[in-house]
Amino acid sequence: DSGLSENLHLQKQFRSLGILSARTGGGPQIMSMDEAVKATNTQVVSIQMPRDTKGGAGHGSLIIVGGDDVSDVRRAIEVALAAVPTHFGDVYNSPAGHLELQYTARASEAAHFAFNAPIGKAYGLIAGAPAGIGVVMGDTALKAANVDVLSFASPAYGTSFSNEGILHISGDSGAVRQAVIAAREVGLDLLGTLAGKPKNDFPSYI
Amino acid sequence: DSGLSENLHLQKQFRSLGILSARTGGGPQIMSMDEAVKATNTQVVSIQMPRDTKGGAGHGSLIIVGGDDVSDVRRAIEVALAAVPTHFGDVYNSPAGHLELQYTARASEAAHFAFNAPIGKAYGLIAGAPAGIGVVMGDTALKAANVDVLSFASPAYGTSFSNEGILHISGDSGAVRQAVIAAREVGLDLLGTLAGKPKNDFPSYI
Amino acid sequence: DSGLSENLHLQKQFRSLGILSARTGGGPQIMSMDEAVKATNTQVVSIQMPRDTKGGAGHGSLIIVGGDDVSDVRRAIEVALAAVPTHFGDVYNSPAGHLELQYTARASEAAHFAFNAPIGKAYGLIAGAPAGIGVVMGDTALKAANVDVLSFASPAYGTSFSNEGILHISGDSGAVRQAVIAAREVGLDLLGTLAGKPKNDFPSYI
């Protein structure tokens, strides 16, 4: 309904809208939609990150894509949903917190919309919760490889008051990947000291 | 104490203050207070919505009313508390999220204060969590009846980063009620597909 | 890494940084760091309070201190960690919410950074959750002793949307302590009516 879409704070109006909404996870859904908009004739028109994860330390997500054709929009949602398990592959949980790593060799619209990733360049997301773990992971990543810092999000800056430290990086694909992998290693060590070995629910993809 | 009330960010100073505060629920308490201020010689001076619900997707509430007579204020709190179970009648929960529907034929001060509802006109609140369900419910409501959109709240706009989509509507009482009922139906269907049939703890009142 | 520290929103740059990060608790960690910076050659450069407590009503914390010597920074973290149990001594939990009381005869940098406490003067923190309990505790405190109100934080003002009412006071050390103790008494009574007697995990220190 046009009365609704005018009140949805969308970046642009479209005839059809597709919605991806989750209690747990922002990064996995955003990176999945990043693939979906690359593969379909759709655009990202809103990305919002509630403070959720059902009592956990992180975010949920509300992502809206638009297209002029309903079949394109439906296809985008299908592609994104199919990619979500992959992008949970480097999300590691323990009772004390979580880690999240994301990597793409070519960032597209969703990573740009949400995290200001330069389109077409490699992008990496390095997150740790509680936030102090994310700070150490970010430091490790930047010492491991020569990459550009896009931003560092923390409870009071660039998150929805989540208890996360999140480094966003860009640059040469090999360097970004190397930085992400180095951060994952130290994150698993640190979080593992608090409440047992962190576990991922899907196979690692990075 | 005056040193406190000056720091409470109240809209207006009164000799007596009444407090309604909850971990779970914003809408039910606000609509209950809406009845209470109609029935007593009191005014709403603050409505704040923490991100709470004890790990759920929504809000809690802190509502403060003021009056020049302590017995008026006490009466307002009694009336509001008595009305709370009714206004939880169309709150439906499942492990995946929740729905909330509220309706009044004549909005008063609390609905005006919190949601900008025009005083004396019919008002409806249509909420779904996770937020995407609220978007679809809102769309359904606006297609079902000819009502005015007051606003649509979502994780990044008009909520405290809750994982809800919340449509606020006003208009002819029959139309508002019809829109709310249509939204409830689609909300129960959608949330029901995720983690079993959503349940209300008190009888539906709409 | 300097690329990280430039993006950490630190008040001042240092060669070494120490990090104290927790899922549960802001006040206890901040007051513990307040002792630590008094005892070491370090400075507070960031205090952030996520909305956390693992589904509870309050905050977590991310505190960063800086120093020119790594051994000073390490010592600050050790002192702070050793003080944390003491500062949880007047944190009382029940399934319905929590209370937190803090008191120092001489506030230092961390209490100043986080809560604007005048350095060198007595400072008290009086918090109740759900927020309405904090309002009543604050009122009781201000009626019990002649102290200065620094601020009152609540879900929409000065918290990260936590469900807390938090009074920050300063003044004569005897008066601040008396106000804190009076507030604790009424807080234990009120929270105790909701879901059983609130319990502290460590011995009370105030």
Side-chain angles (χ1 to χ4, degrees):
Chain A
D1 192 276
S2 69
L4 181 64
S5 64
E6 284 161 17
N7 283 277
L8 275 173
H9 306 272
L10 305 179
Q11 203 182 49
K12 194 177 159 184
Q13 297 295 327
F14 279 97
R15 299 226 332 250
S16 281
L17 297 178
I19 302 163
L20 185 61
S21 172
R23 292 291 308 277
T24 298
Q29 289 81 357
I30 290 166
M31 297 310 289
S32 298
M33 196 59 92
D34 206 56
E35 293 184 17
V37 292
K38 263 192 268 192
T40 58
N41 193 20
T42 58
Q43 276 184 40
V44 173
V45 291
S46 183
I47 296 181
Q48 301 180 39
M49 298 178 75
R51 175 70 184 86
D52 205 341
T53 59
K54 300 188 173 184
H59 293 110
S61 48
L62 174 64
I63 307 173
I64 306 179
V65 291
D68 290 323
D69 194 306
V70 65
S71 65
D72 288 336
V73 169
R74 187 188 304 269
R75 182 74 191 131
I77 297 295
E78 287 168 355
V79 171
L81 285 175
V84 165
T86 299
H87 289 286
F88 266 104
D90 291 281
V91 175
Y92 299 85
N93 291 287
S94 89
H98 66 261
L99 312 174
E100 177 180 350
L101 294 311
Q102 301 289 351
Y103 165 77
T104 176
R106 289 177 60 83
S108 185
E109 261 195 59
H112 178 68
F113 194 110
F115 307 128
N116 212 24
I119 290 177
K121 287 186 70 179
Y123 161 77
L125 179 157
I126 291 161
I133 291 178
V135 177
V136 179
M137 290 168 72
D139 188 54
T140 303
L142 296 179
K143 285 171 173 155
N146 185 19
V147 296
D148 299 326
V149 177
L150 299 173
S151 65
F152 185 82
S154 53
Y157 302 95
T159 68
S160 303
F161 295 129
S162 78
N163 200 340
E164 297 173 296
I166 310 172
L167 179 68
H168 300 285
I169 55 175
S170 183
D172 170 71
S173 65
V176 169
R177 195 164 175 276
Q178 190 181 329
V180 167
I181 288 171
R184 178 175 61 192
E185 204 167 315
V186 72
L188 287 168
D189 280 353
L190 277 174
L191 186 57
T193 62
L194 298 180
K197 191 173 152 58
K199 294 256 166 59
N200 51 347
D201 291 337
F202 295 93
S204 164
Y205 80 96
I206 303 172
Chain B
D1 190 277
S2 70
L4 181 65
S5 65
E6 283 160 19
N7 282 276
L8 275 174
H9 306 273
L10 305 179
Q11 202 179 51
K12 195 177 160 186
Q13 297 296 327
F14 279 97
R15 296 221 339 247
S16 282
L17 297 178
I19 302 163
L20 185 60
S21 172
R23 292 290 310 276
T24 297
Q29 289 83 357
I30 291 167
M31 298 311 291
S32 299
M33 196 57 92
D34 206 58
E35 292 184 18
V37 293
K38 264 192 269 193
T40 58
N41 193 19
T42 57
Q43 275 183 40
V44 174
V45 291
S46 183
I47 297 181
Q48 300 178 40
M49 299 178 76
R51 176 68 185 86
D52 205 340
T53 58
K54 300 188 173 184
H59 293 111
S61 48
L62 173 64
I63 307 173
I64 306 178
V65 292
D68 289 325
D69 194 305
V70 65
S71 65
D72 287 337
V73 170
R74 188 187 303 271
R75 181 76 192 129
I77 297 295
E78 288 168 355
V79 171
L81 285 175
V84 165
T86 299
H87 288 285
F88 267 103
D90 291 280
V91 175
Y92 300 85
N93 291 287
S94 88
H98 66 262
L99 312 175
E100 176 181 351
L101 296 308
Q102 301 289 351
Y103 165 78
T104 176
R106 289 177 60 84
S108 186
E109 261 194 62
H112 178 67
F113 195 109
F115 307 127
N116 212 22
I119 290 176
K121 285 187 71 176
Y123 161 77
L125 178 156
I126 291 161
I133 291 178
V135 177
V136 178
M137 290 168 73
D139 188 54
T140 303
L142 296 179
K143 285 171 173 158
N146 185 19
V147 295
D148 298 327
V149 177
L150 299 173
S151 65
F152 185 82
S154 52
Y157 302 94
T159 69
S160 303
F161 295 129
S162 77
N163 200 341
E164 298 173 297
I166 311 173
L167 180 68
H168 300 285
I169 55 175
S170 183
D172 170 71
S173 65
V176 169
R177 196 165 174 275
Q178 189 181 330
V180 167
I181 288 171
R184 178 175 60 192
E185 202 166 317
V186 72
L188 287 168
D189 280 353
L190 277 174
L191 186 57
T193 60
L194 298 179
K197 192 174 152 60
K199 295 255 167 56
N200 50 348
D201 291 337
F202 295 93
S204 164
Y205 80 96
I206 303 171
Chain C
D1 191 277
S2 69
L4 181 65
S5 65
E6 284 161 17
N7 282 276
L8 275 175
H9 306 271
L10 306 178
Q11 202 180 51
K12 195 176 158 186
Q13 297 296 326
F14 278 97
R15 295 219 342 243
S16 281
L17 297 178
I19 303 164
L20 186 60
S21 171
R23 292 290 309 276
T24 297
Q29 288 83 356
I30 290 166
M31 297 311 289
S32 298
M33 196 58 91
D34 205 57
E35 293 184 17
V37 292
K38 263 191 269 192
T40 57
N41 193 19
T42 57
Q43 275 185 39
V44 174
V45 291
S46 182
I47 297 181
Q48 301 180 38
M49 298 177 76
R51 175 72 185 85
D52 206 342
T53 58
K54 299 187 173 185
H59 292 110
S61 47
L62 174 65
I63 308 174
I64 305 178
V65 292
D68 289 326
D69 194 306
V70 64
S71 64
D72 288 336
V73 170
R74 187 188 305 271
R75 181 75 192 129
I77 297 295
E78 287 168 356
V79 172
L81 285 176
V84 165
T86 300
H87 289 285
F88 266 103
D90 292 281
V91 175
Y92 300 85
N93 290 287
S94 88
H98 66 262
L99 312 173
E100 177 180 350
L101 295 311
Q102 301 290 350
Y103 165 77
T104 176
R106 289 178 59 84
S108 185
E109 259 194 62
H112 177 68
F113 194 109
F115 308 128
N116 213 24
I119 290 176
K121 288 186 69 176
Y123 161 76
L125 178 157
I126 292 161
I133 291 178
V135 177
V136 179
M137 290 169 73
D139 188 55
T140 303
L142 296 179
K143 284 169 174 156
N146 185 20
V147 295
D148 299 325
V149 177
L150 298 173
S151 65
F152 185 82
S154 53
Y157 301 95
T159 68
S160 303
F161 295 130
S162 78
N163 199 341
E164 297 173 297
I166 310 172
L167 180 67
H168 300 285
I169 56 175
S170 183
D172 170 70
S173 65
V176 169
R177 197 167 173 274
Q178 190 182 328
V180 167
I181 288 170
R184 179 175 59 192
E185 204 167 316
V186 72
L188 286 168
D189 281 354
L190 277 174
L191 185 57
T193 60
L194 297 180
K197 191 174 153 59
K199 295 254 167 59
N200 50 348
D201 291 337
F202 296 93
S204 165
Y205 80 96
I206 304 172

